[in-house]
Amino acid sequence: MLKISIVMPTFNQAGYIRRSIDSVLAQKGDFELELIVVDGASTDSTVEVLKSYGQAIRWISEPDKGQSDALNKGLAMAGGQIMGWLNSDDLYEPGALAAAAEVFAAEPDTQWVYGKARVIGPDDREVRRWITLYKNLRMRRFSYAKLLAENWISQMGVFWRRGAWEQAGPVRTDLHWAMDYEYWLRLGARWPGRFI
């Protein structure tokens, strides 16, 4: 059975993180799940929220050098054959991990997958629908040339094999706002992305 490791970098997100964690732990399917939360020494009640989950999640809280550093720490701790990350103010839709696991189990040559995402506001209402529509239209057929021109992949909808991570290397810590896009470019230069 595949094991999926999700890394959640966080810092002072106590108002959102419980829902994010719950959206990961609620995922059901033919896979084992590992959630690793890497907190950058939050000063709000994030640590209390993390403690409330007991053994259901793995977590650390210590100073870091930003989101990319936290992400790399978590990915290095991960034990799954499949990896992904979810920011602590994002949510997975039901069935997200099952859809990824199904493709990875059926297609051993597929190294990374990506799928649709919706942008929601604090009240869960969908916002920026035109951006979502545009990205959804662009992502249907993978093209590295197209990816070089613009990032039409939403980070929370991407999963990759451990072997791909080992070959592509860690996320760049000098890119604080485009580290995901640069990572897709590194993955895409080696293997075509698989749209779900």
Side-chain angles (χ1 to χ4, degrees), residues 116-187:
K116 295 179 179 181
R118 293 183 303 126
V119 181
I120 58 171
D123 59 358
D124 288 352
R125 292 162 84 132
E126 191 170 355
V127 297
R128 298 192 288 178
R129 290 180 186 206
W130 66 272
I131 293 174
T132 300
L133 178 62
Y134 180 78
K135 283 187 168 190
N136 289 348
L137 289 171
R138 298 288 286 168
M139 71 172 54
R140 292 187 184 278
R141 187 167 296 137
F142 183 81
S143 161
Y144 189 66
K146 188 169 60 173
L147 187 60
L148 281 169
E150 66 180 330
N151 183 14
W152 33 264
I153 296 176
S154 296
Q155 164 269 314
M156 66 289 297
V158 182
F159 306 95
W160 57 91
R161 290 189 189 273
R162 169 175 288 287
W165 176 72
E166 289 169 350
Q167 288 185 50
V171 175
R172 282 181 48 181
T173 56
D174 61 326
L175 298 176
H176 299 292
W177 307 113
M179 70 288 198
D180 55 348
Y181 180 33
E182 191 275 338
Y183 205 70
W184 315 152
L185 291 172
R186 269 194 275 157
L187 291 174

Side-chain angles (χ1 to χ4, degrees), residues 4 6-8 21 24-25 33-37 56-58:
I4 301 177
I6 301 300
V7 174
M8 184 178 292
I21 291 171
V24 177
L25 297 180
L33 178 62
E34 173 183 54
L35 174 58
I36 301 168
V37 180
I57 65 172
R58 291 176 62 194

